Amino acid sequence: MTTEVAIVGIGMHEFGRTEGVSGMDQGVIAVRRACADAGVSWEDMQFAFGGSMAAGAADTMVSLLGLTGLQFINVANGCATGGSALFSAYNTIRSGVFDLGIAVGFDKHERGAFRVNTKGSGLGDWYGASGLALTTQFFGMKINRYMHEYGISQSTLAKVSEKAFRNGAINPMAWRRKPISEEEVLNSAMLSYPLTQYMFCSPGEGGVALILARADKAHLYTDKPIFLKAAVVRSRRFGSFEVLAPSIALEHNAGPTVDASKAAFEMAGMGPKDMDLAQLQDTESGAEVMHMAENGFCEHGEQEFMIQAGETEIGGKFPVNTDGGCLANGEPIGASGLRQVYENVLQLRGQAGARQVPNDPKTAYTHVYGAPGISGVTILSR
Amino acid sequence: MAQVPVTEGVFTWPSESPQLIGSRCVTCGNHMFPVQQGCPKCTGAETAEVLLGRRGTLWTWTVQGFPPKAPPYAGDVDPKTFKAFGVGYVELPGQLKIESRLTEADPEKLKIGMEMEMVIVPLSTDADGNEVVTFAFAPVA
């Protein structure tokens, strides 16, 4: 008999650009806010999992938070760093080792597209030298092929961005807080055909911390516990089409998102139709479109109608990326997957303010995707 | 000006009909590029070097519209002179799909399914004044 797990405290440092505050300091602020939210102190934490890609080893933050001797394990898993920290914290409690702990992620990246470390990614120097080591190219190529196969229009890509910035505008923690029209999105610089500047998220800064407890003790910390029903991370299989790949197989495999999604639904004992809202990886607007289908929320190609009809808006049939997603929040790698869970906790508590999904949502889904072909999914319920 | 390849062991050079150098799994026949030991398909540990086909069809594509960061990029990154370049995956029949620069960067002229052929293109000039070349795929006229 495994133990159920609840999220009992959440904390976030504003996403975007915060001059003069290091990535780690943003993580520390997120931890303090999460502790305040749960009504606990750092001394109460029995364990921590944390990570960042570019802002230092997470475990060194104990010298800022207090040297309490807790078990602190660093997590480094690319774009799924936050999701992996949460997976680890979830299973630590589920297995009964500890009762209360924290998952934290933070980051601070240089401006512009990610500078890929080709050696660290197992690629030869020739790959970057030849102009192929850009994650943006993958996203352009994946959605270009997808549009060709399933009839998704550029207008739909632009509408995804328009929605993201509109939701970001009513999210006090978001980076991009100005609405941008579909026309402005379409007319912005073409970075990687068919994707324009405002269809891409930017590397950014921010921090998120989540405090987890045994479900049967959650009432000690909150009157609105949110239960973590599933946390899954999957890597790619042979034949999937992934970022930074000098070659891909002739055979086609649907990719790690499909695997992670199926496993998460199985773990939670639920299906896509049981979800009231979702935060889906939107590195660029095409990714949100494709991930709707890869996570099982529609058939391939149905997104064209759904998005044009406004079904994924906050007031729509199935709201997606209610906090503005990566497009409006930017992508601090270590924190990005936890930001999605933070938003879902707010939505399920009924504390999402101007962007609260109506009709009292009871279940919520998160999905993160990134290099080198890794996906993380969580399912939350009240 | 002497021409030097961007690296050794990725394509045959100099050659009148240059080819990419890949690996073939001794156990299951799966093709890989670039050369690698160990097969991601069958988990076999033994591979043999193989020269890949020079022609295929365009499976998907994009256009690199802004100068990449240098390093790692070795080509022109001056925003005033930078020229957008095509990037795509070319499906080599019976082998695999290769990611490559494309000689064509006009979205009007790039079509999924079009015939492509491997060529060698200039990339930059090195410290010794040599022209550094890399591989690309060009539409078959």
Side-chain angles (χ1 to χ4, degrees):
Chain A
M1 184 69 189
T2 53
T3 307
E4 293 290 301
V5 180
I7 297 174
V8 298
I10 59 173
M12 180 171 181
H13 182 279
E14 291 76 359
F15 275 33
R17 291 282 173 203
T18 312
E19 297 298 333
V21 182
S22 73
M24 188 169 299
D25 283 340
Q26 294 182 38
V28 168
I29 289 164
V31 170
R32 293 195 197 286
R33 288 176 176 169
C35 287
D37 183 54
V40 298
S41 73
W42 175 246
E43 285 179 307
D44 297 320
M45 291 303 120
Q46 297 166 354
F47 72 92
F49 288 90
S52 87
M53 178 174 268
D59 66 326
T60 60
M61 72 198 304
V62 294
S63 62
L64 302 167
L65 284 162
L67 300 171
T68 62
L70 88 169
Q71 170 185 302
F72 198 124
I73 295 177
N74 288 323
V75 178
N77 209 6
C79 295
T81 294
S84 301
L86 186 60
F87 169 85
S88 305
Y90 169 67
N91 284 297
T92 299
I93 290 176
R94 222 157 71 113
S95 64
V97 176
F98 290 120
D99 297 340
L100 185 71
I102 192 162
V104 57
F106 54 88
D107 244 315
K108 191 175 181 101
H109 302 290
E110 66 174 325
R111 285 166 201 279
F114 285 113
R115 188 190 301 269
V116 172
N117 174 354
T118 46
K119 277 213 168 52
S121 304
L123 299 161
D125 287 341
W126 65 270
Y127 185 74
S130 297
L132 300 176
L134 288 100
T135 57
T136 41
Q137 293 171 352
F138 163 76
F139 294 111
M141 288 191 282
K142 188 177 175 193
I143 189 62
N144 200 16
R145 174 86 197 174
Y146 196 86
M147 291 164 84
H148 174 80
E149 284 188 27
Y150 298 110
I152 303 296
S153 67
Q154 264 222 313
S155 157
T156 290
L157 300 185
K159 278 197 159 65
V160 169
S161 295
E162 186 185 39
K163 167 175 70 70
F165 296 122
R166 190 164 52 242
N167 292 352
I170 51 172
N171 176 4
M173 305 304 265
W175 182 7
R176 313 282 187 200
R177 306 211 46 214
K178 189 171 79 69
I180 298 177
S181 71
E182 178 183 341
E183 193 183 1
E184 284 175 281
V185 173
L186 287 169
N187 291 333
S188 62
M190 184 63 78
L191 296 188
S192 195
Y193 185 94
L195 299 168
T196 65
Q197 181 181 350
Y198 293 140
M199 292 179 189
F200 273 108
C201 84
S202 303
E205 305 173 16
V208 179
L210 305 172
I211 296 177
L212 280 64
R214 287 173 62 104
D216 56 6
K217 294 191 176 175
H219 63 279
L220 297 173
Y221 313 106
T222 178
D223 56 359
K224 288 184 174 169
I226 302 301
F227 302 101
L228 191 50
K229 306 304 283 187
V232 171
V233 176
R234 287 288 184 274
S235 62
R236 66 202 186 281
R237 289 205 225 204
F238 184 70
S240 67
F241 178 25
E242 308 296 344
V243 65
L244 300 174
S247 66
I248 47 180
L250 296 182
E251 291 95 321
H252 176 72
N253 178 277
T257 293
V258 172
D259 286 342
S261 178
K262 280 184 179 153
F265 282 126
E266 194 168 313
M267 186 183 276
M270 298 186 209
K273 290 198 167 37
D274 298 318
M275 297 296 109
D276 291 333
L277 66 128
Q279 317 297 330
L280 305 177
Q281 179 77 26
D282 58 335
T283 319
E284 37 76 33
S285 54
E288 178 174 317
V289 173
M290 295 182 284
H291 290 150
M292 284 168 62
E294 290 182 14
N295 285 289
F297 297 114
C298 64
E299 295 299 320
H300 291 297
E302 285 181 357
Q303 305 98 321
E304 179 70 16
F305 171 82
M306 292 171 73
I307 291 164
Q308 290 289 338
E311 289 187 6
T312 56
E313 300 282 343
I314 286 173
K317 270 189 196 167
F318 187 66
V320 174
N321 290 333
T322 50
D323 67 350
C326 291
L327 288 169
N329 286 281
E331 194 177 20
I333 294 287
S336 200
L338 298 179
R339 188 254 313 150
Q340 299 175 321
V341 178
Y342 177 94
E343 170 69 5
N344 279 354
V345 171
L346 285 182
Q347 291 286 353
L348 297 184
R349 285 176 175 178
Q351 295 174 347
R355 57 183 198 290
Q356 179 65 47
V357 169
N359 303 322
D360 211 13
K362 292 175 181 59
T363 55
Y365 184 97
T366 72
H367 158 259
V368 64
Y369 168 84
I374 187 163
S375 284
V377 168
T378 72
I379 293 172
L380 302 187
S381 78
R382 279 199 282 130
Chain B
M1 188 159 55
Q3 286 188 325
V4 294
V6 66
T7 187
E8 297 289 342
V10 170
F11 52 88
T12 57
W13 187 256
S15 166
E16 282 187 11
S17 55
Q19 283 176 277
L20 294 171
I21 305 166
S23 298
R24 189 173 176 279
C25 176
V26 171
T27 309
C28 77
N30 177 47
H31 285 76
M32 295 150 267
F33 172 80
V35 168
Q36 71 172 57
Q37 295 176 331
C39 176
K41 183 176 184 181
C42 76
T43 73
E46 199 184 339
T47 62
E49 204 168 284
V50 64
L51 296 181
L52 299 175
R54 301 188 62 244
R55 283 178 84 142
T57 53
L58 190 59
W59 187 70
T60 189
W61 56 274
T62 185
V63 176
Q64 178 59 37
F66 59 95
K69 281 181 177 167
Y73 187 49
D76 181 16
V77 292
D78 183 341
K80 293 193 197 76
T81 53
F82 172 77
K83 282 197 182 65
F85 56 90
V87 174
Y89 279 90
V90 177
E91 183 167 344
L92 306 181
Q95 296 181 331
L96 73 176
K97 302 178 197 116
I98 295 288
E99 186 182 16
S100 174
R101 287 174 75 104
L102 306 176
T103 58
E104 183 58 68
D106 180 354
E108 294 298 316
K109 293 180 180 162
L110 288 165
K111 296 276 177 275
I112 287 172
M114 70 194 290
E115 288 286 316
M116 306 294 285
E117 183 173 33
M118 188 194 150
V119 295
I120 296 297
V121 293
L123 182 63
S124 62
T125 306
D126 71 13
D128 301 325
N130 299 310
E131 185 177 71
V132 178
V133 297
T134 190
F135 67 93
F137 275 80
V140 175

